[in-house]
Amino acid sequence: MNRANVAGTIVALMGFAAFLFLFASGTNAPFIYWPNEAMQGLAFTFAWGLGVPSYLAYVLSIVLMIAVFYSFFRIGKRLAQMLLR
């Protein structure tokens, strides 16, 4: 991997950790269970707030988590490409 991909991966992991902290820090669950807690919280928000069926709420929460990770990866990769020129 080149330096831009490594930087993008590091930024994506840090951003995803911040996203998990935002959604799951209020629970008493250990850190290892935070991705599950965040997914459950997002699914609840979609199901209760928007009124979508539960299976669609879980799919939407997974898609949103992937989108957050990918967005932070693209931001990190772009910043690394700009700074490493």
Side-chain angles (χ1 to χ4, degrees), residues 56-75:
L56 184 59
Y58 284 109
V59 170
L60 288 174
S61 64
I62 291 170
V63 168
L64 181 66
M65 291 174 86
I66 291 171
V68 166
F69 189 84
Y70 181 72
S71 298
F72 278 113
F73 175 78
R74 295 297 296 173
I75 290 169

Side-chain angles (χ1 to χ4, degrees), residues 5-32:
N5 285 341
V6 171
T9 303
I10 291 170
V11 170
L13 289 173
M14 289 174 31
F16 192 67
F19 178 77
L20 291 178
F21 181 77
L22 176 70
F23 277 96
S25 64
T27 66
N28 290 333
F31 181 74
I32 193 80

